[in-house]
């Protein structure tokens, strides 16, 4: 393997333990507000940006469904949960960021979440200054699993693809990385990744501490 000069991180479920809050809030929203949305759609939007997620959920509903109302209800419940249980970094996140910094490995963010929201999260968790380039879901045409977001990062750096590696936790994210032609490491989170998607990964690790070993 070529020497790694750039690590590209997804955020939600990879660096930040946010997917568990999302699922709790989504389930509570279905229960409290009586939305009839299949779990396949609720889980299927993980790793996609807001526009793609909206299209997926609306595809399961009739014309009476109001996505803006659904989103408003979801955000209210999510924010209430976050007051009691703020976002935390995933196990090993600080360790791998510090390892990259100490070994002059560049770090980039490629997240489907929109810039305004994600910058706040990264700032509040004290890790935003580790990254010298970031691409967000509102800055690309096609959401993951399309390769757009990772190709945008690739085009920013004067590096070969085999000098880069991506850390991802979702089906959509892994497919996006694979479609971009960049090696991807799967970090286990709450989403079960399909076997045929896992087969596309360079490595599978249980946490980011284990992920450091790949960079050595």
């Amino acid at each position: 393997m070529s020497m790694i000069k750039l690590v590209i991180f997804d955020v939600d479920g990879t660096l930040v333990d946010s997917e568990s809050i999302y699922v709790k809030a989504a389930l509570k929203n279905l229960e409290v507000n009586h939305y009839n949305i299949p779990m396949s759609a609720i889980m299927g939007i993980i790793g996609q940006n807001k526009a793609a997620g909206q299209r997926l959920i609306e595809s399961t509903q009739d014309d009476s469904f109001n996505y803006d109302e659904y989103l408003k209800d979801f955000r209210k419940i999510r924010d209430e949960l976050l007051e009691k249980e703020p976002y935390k970094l995933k196990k090993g996140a600080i360790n791998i960021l510090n390892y990259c910094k100490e070994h002059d490995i560049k770090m980039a963010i490629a997240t489907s979440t929109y810039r305004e929201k994600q910058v706040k999260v990264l700032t509040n968790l004290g890790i935003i200054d580790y990254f010298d380039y970031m691409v967000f879901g509102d800055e690309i045409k096609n959401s993951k699993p399309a390769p757009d977001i990772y190709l945008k990062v690739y085009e920013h750096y004067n590096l070969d693809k085999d000098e880069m590696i991506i850390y991802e936790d979702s089906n959509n994210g892994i497919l996006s990385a694979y479609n971009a032609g960049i090696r991807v490491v799967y970090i286990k989170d709450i989403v079960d990744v399909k076997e045929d998607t896992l087969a596309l990964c360079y490595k599978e690790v249980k946490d980011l501490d284990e992920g450091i070993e790949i960079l050595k």
Side-chain angles (χ1 to χ4, degrees):
M1 186 170 92
S2 298
M3 183 180 169
I4 298 298
K5 296 180 180 176
L6 170 68
V7 179
I8 311 170
F9 294 97
D10 170 57
V11 177
D12 295 303
T14 301
L15 284 172
V16 179
D17 185 13
S18 52
E19 307 291 32
S20 58
I21 299 280
Y22 161 74
V23 173
K24 280 182 196 172
L27 289 173
K28 191 170 181 184
N29 193 20
L30 299 189
E31 180 189 344
V32 171
N33 294 303
H34 310 294
Y35 287 109
N36 184 24
I37 299 170
M39 276 308 294
S40 58
I42 294 293
M43 299 303 284
I45 72 174
I46 290 175
Q48 295 190 333
N49 67 15
K50 180 185 167 188
Q54 179 174 348
R55 284 195 299 273
L56 178 56
I57 286 181
E58 285 181 340
S59 73
T60 71
Q61 304 295 301
D62 61 26
D63 291 343
S64 66
F65 178 74
N66 185 322
Y67 183 79
D68 290 336
E69 280 298 311
Y70 163 79
L71 193 61
K72 182 180 167 189
D73 292 337
F74 165 77
R75 285 175 171 167
K76 181 173 182 289
I77 291 167
R78 181 200 62 198
D79 292 347
E80 287 167 359
L81 287 174
L82 283 171
E83 280 182 25
K84 302 174 197 165
E85 191 182 343
Y87 289 139
K88 297 185 184 75
L89 290 172
K90 295 272 294 202
K91 183 178 184 296
I94 282 292
N95 295 339
I96 197 168
L97 295 177
N98 283 332
Y99 179 88
C100 290
K101 189 175 180 180
E102 288 159 12
H103 291 82
D104 295 321
I105 300 170
K106 293 182 182 298
M107 291 169 274
I109 288 286
T111 172
S112 296
T113 303
Y114 287 9
R115 178 177 283 271
E116 185 180 6
K117 178 192 169 192
Q118 198 69 285
V119 164
K120 283 180 189 170
V121 172
L122 295 169
T123 303
N124 289 342
L125 288 169
I127 62 170
I128 197 162
D129 291 338
Y130 282 92
F131 307 103
D132 56 18
Y133 187 65
M134 296 182 284
V135 184
F136 300 88
D138 49 337
E139 298 169 349
I140 49 156
K141 184 180 178 186
N142 300 302
S143 181
K144 300 174 185 179
D148 299 33
I149 197 162
Y150 284 117
L151 290 176
K152 188 166 182 179
V153 178
Y154 164 68
E155 287 158 9
H156 177 77
Y157 290 91
N158 186 27
L159 295 171
D160 294 329
K161 287 182 181 178
D162 64 358
E163 295 175 312
M164 307 174 172
I165 204 155
I166 292 166
Y167 287 83
E168 266 285 2
D169 73 294
S170 71
N171 264 295
N172 290 321
I174 291 167
L175 291 170
S176 175
Y178 180 79
N179 291 333
I182 304 169
R183 280 170 307 184
V184 58
V185 176
Y186 169 56
I187 305 284
K188 177 77 175 144
D189 194 50
I190 61 166
V191 184
D192 287 327
V193 171
K194 298 169 188 170
E195 284 298 321
D196 56 348
T197 306
L198 273 181
L200 305 175
C201 295
Y202 172 68
K203 296 276 186 186
E204 178 182 348
V205 295
K206 69 179 187 295
D207 57 43
L208 289 165
D209 279 329
E210 201 174 282
I212 293 171
E213 297 304 312
I214 293 165
L215 303 177
K216 291 181 177 176

